[in-house]
Amino acid sequence: MSYLSGAYFEVMLTGVGAALVGKFTSVSGLGMEIEYETWNEGGANYPRYFMKQVKPQVLVLEQGTVTDADMVSVLMQFANIGMSIALAGTVTLKDSFGEVQRVWTIAGAHIQKYIGPSLNSNQAALAVSRIELMYNGCC
């Protein structure tokens, strides 16, 4: 396995009247988890499994820049008044040359947490420290 020096994640999630577009050094929570319910039918010696529901996942975007920082504040303002805009789009892994290495599709993501940078006059800070979105899993 070769390591991608200088790799980054390009995130493009859009919704009705809102978008979350940026580049991040770390992305986690790209997965899917399904809960099953077990049923034993009369006379069967083995269980049968049936899908019960998809468990929500948390997509975590860390250490990056957002193209339109005001859009994050718009999403948070909507959340503060009890509204949530569903976002859908892609998370793309790119190498140091900007070539696409892998793409994940995200649907039905809702912002749940935003952490801005730690401000320190002696260090350069990135525009976003952490954004967390709840969603039903990726493809």
Side-chain angles (χ1 to χ4, degrees):
M1 176 177 171
S2 61
Y3 292 100
L4 302 173
S5 175
Y8 61 95
F9 293 92
E10 188 173 80
V11 176
M12 180 174 283
L13 301 173
T14 59
V16 178
L20 180 60
V21 179
K23 296 178 181 174
F24 299 87
T25 59
S26 175
V27 172
S28 63
L30 291 168
M32 189 168 187
E33 187 175 349
I34 300 170
E35 184 177 338
Y36 287 93
E37 196 168 323
T38 306
W39 292 87
N40 288 321
E41 295 182 1
N45 292 329
Y46 57 91
R48 297 178 187 259
Y49 298 97
F50 298 94
M51 188 169 82
K52 184 175 178 184
Q53 66 184 9
V54 176
K55 290 185 177 183
Q57 302 293 306
V58 177
L59 178 65
V60 180
L61 312 173
E62 294 183 293
Q63 301 300 319
T65 56
V66 175
T67 306
D68 189 352
D70 288 342
M71 202 50 71
V72 174
S73 64
V74 167
L75 289 168
M76 294 306 292
Q77 286 174 358
F78 276 123
N80 282 336
I81 61 172
M83 296 174 61
S84 184
I85 297 174
L87 302 173
T90 58
V91 174
T92 306
L93 172 62
K94 292 190 173 185
D95 63 15
S96 59
F97 300 108
E99 298 293 322
V100 174
Q101 298 297 314
R102 174 107 194 251
V103 177
W104 293 268
T105 302
I106 307 294
H110 297 269
I111 194 162
Q112 72 175 23
K113 188 174 190 179
Y114 166 76
I115 300 174
S118 298
L119 301 177
N120 183 342
S121 62
N122 295 324
Q123 295 178 345
L126 293 172
V128 173
S129 184
R130 183 181 180 105
I131 295 176
E132 294 181 9
L133 300 118
M134 184 171 44
Y135 74 117
N136 281 331
C138 66
C139 311

